[in-house]
Amino acid sequence: MSDSQSDGGDCTDHRTAVTEPEVEALVRGICFKTGPPRVLGVELEWLVHELREPGLPVAPERLEAVYAALRAVDLGSALTVEPGGQLELSSLPAASLTECIGTVSADLDAVRAVLAEDGLGLVGIGHDPWHPPRRFLHEPRYDAMETCLDRGGPAGRHMMCASASVQVCVDAGHEEPGPLGHARRWWLAHQLGAVLLAAFANSPLIGQRPTGWMSTRQLMWMEIGTGRAGGPPLDGEPRAVWARHVLDSPVMCVRGDGGPWEVPDGLTFREWTRSRSPRPPTRADLDYHLTTLFPPVRPRGHLELRMIDAQPGDDGWIVPLAVTAALFDDPEAAETAYRTVKPLAERALSRPAPHNPLYTDAARYGLADPELRDTAAACFAAALEALPRMGATTEVMDAVAAFVDRYVARGRCPADDLLDRLHDGEPARHRHGPTGGTPLSHGKDIRT
């Protein structure tokens, strides 16, 4: 959901230094806002491509011009540009699934109309299958991010400049225990997240060659490392484990009011509060630090589920939004989902997501994994039963049912369609496995 957090260009706010105990208290207070689940949101990232030929690169000058035109469009959602030129549309908190879908759909129609005037369109794929990562935005935040992530290899640039996702935002839940309690929802988000990752995997290609992974986007997140893109262990009270994780995660940068930002190597926020060097950290620095952590489930008052690849088609994003909303906010479906995903926890080996075998298998195999397929089938069935109770429209329920028939029931995910197009209909399951993919010739059309 859209929020008011800044990218950090102004360092004059909250100049009072914070101590380690103050940081822990602040994180505990702001990252889990409990109460009855009542609002829903979605953040949609899109690749921008040529309508006539998606494989052609779009010149930065054209992107700058069309994005300037988009800034004049009255939208109900926040529209931002990602470092590689991807567009992100972030909804405001909505009181119902129907309201959320209606507002975002209208905004997307308006955005697509402006893009189409310049021969451009949006495509929903989790990782750009045509082009190498290329940075569009050159700002201190992204200069520092690139410097920081480059220390771990090329995955950071792929994440910044070539990836796109559907991020579903649900309320943290009740303070009290139960199906809608915040502790259970926190746990459920991580275990169910692997099922959502597998079901909606949609990024099997780089340079029009199979990578051997159904969600290459998730592979890139895993390769970025645990400090930046990993979650905390699920071995304690959510507020406590998240506060500890925030303090022990590395600082991406120390912002300045002029010139390049300093990018320390390995300095955790906890160490920064103790050393107070190169300057004491402030509340604004903490707020910024929270925006530089990218676990698969990020608590921001609400829970932001970040593991779902961008989906094909104009309205493909509606299915993961509807399924996730049903499994979290309908008490009966939430209880079913909790019982259904419980056996999956053993596969995680008590390791934090996404750096555990469960997430690795979900990203590599999608629903070709038998246990993930069976778990997805049960969870999608529970979601379909819950959607009428949530007031979902016939169109939404039909879209979820069609996704079940096309993918879940067949042990497939949208990535299989991309692979099928490149191999002229050869069954995807005979083409990839643990050893990786097969090189492809360039130039085939894989538009969705």
Side-chain angles (χ1 to χ4, degrees), residues 19 49 90 115 126 190 238 267 280 326 389 425:
T19 65
H49 68 103
S90 301
L115 292 174
H190 288 85
L267 176 70
R389 298 192 292 266

Side-chain angles (χ1 to χ4, degrees), residues 146-373:
E146 184 174 273
T147 299
C148 176
L149 296 178
D150 277 353
R151 291 170 178 160
R157 295 197 183 201
H158 282 267
M159 177 276 290
M160 290 175 63
C161 302
S163 69
S165 67
V166 175
Q167 299 172 18
V168 181
C169 302
V170 296
D171 277 336
H174 289 284
E175 188 68 27
E176 300 79 12
L180 302 183
H182 78 285
R184 180 180 287 195
R185 286 162 75 88
W186 173 245
W187 183 92
L188 177 63
H190 288 85
Q191 311 306 331
L192 180 61
V195 180
L196 299 173
L197 164 61
F200 297 110
N202 188 37
S203 51
L205 307 170
I206 289 182
Q208 297 210 91
R209 294 173 183 268
T211 63
W213 295 74
M214 304 306 275
S215 178
T216 303
R217 171 182 165 272
Q218 185 61 56
L219 170 64
M220 296 303 170
W221 281 116
M222 290 188 287
E223 291 187 346
I224 286 172
T226 58
R228 185 68 51 206
L234 303 179
D235 59 357
E237 195 277 325
R239 291 185 179 92
V241 297
W242 180 247
R244 184 168 62 246
H245 182 75
V246 169
L247 278 162
D248 291 334
S249 294
V251 173
M252 178 173 285
C253 58
V254 178
R255 299 169 301 153
D257 290 326
W261 296 352
E262 185 172 345
V263 184
D265 189 1
L267 176 70
T268 69
F269 206 92
R270 189 187 303 277
E271 292 166 343
W272 192 11
T273 63
R274 293 175 178 179
S275 69
R276 303 170 69 84
S277 176
R279 61 169 175 78
T282 66
R283 167 65 189 271
D285 290 317
L286 173 60
D287 291 344
Y288 183 78
H289 177 60
L290 291 170
T291 71
T292 67
L293 303 180
F294 307 109
V297 181
R298 184 162 65 174
R300 306 178 66 187
H302 54 274
L303 301 181
E304 180 184 82
L305 279 68
R306 304 174 49 84
M307 71 291 295
I308 302 170
D309 282 353
Q311 295 297 288
D314 289 353
D315 301 323
W317 58 275
I318 292 175
V319 176
L321 172 64
V323 170
T324 305
L327 295 177
F328 273 86
D329 291 347
D330 179 85
E332 184 176 336
E335 182 64 27
T336 298
Y338 175 75
R339 293 197 309 268
T340 302
V341 304
K342 214 169 185 180
L344 294 178
E346 296 181 3
R347 290 178 62 175
L349 301 180
S350 300
R351 299 177 191 170
H355 300 92
N356 62 44
L358 175 60
Y359 270 71
T360 299
D361 289 346
R364 186 188 290 273
Y365 303 118
L367 293 187
D369 181 291
E371 187 177 21
L372 286 167
R373 180 183 66 239

Side-chain angles (χ1 to χ4, degrees), residues 76-121:
S77 307
L79 186 69
T80 54
V81 179
E82 295 295 296
Q86 312 98 307
L87 280 181
E88 179 173 354
L89 201 67
S90 301
S91 74
L92 293 174
S96 68
L97 174 63
T98 299
E99 178 186 324
C100 186
I101 292 173
T103 299
V104 175
S105 295
D107 288 342
L108 282 170
D109 288 344
V111 169
R112 288 193 176 98
V114 173
L115 292 174
E117 291 177 1
D118 196 36
L120 300 176

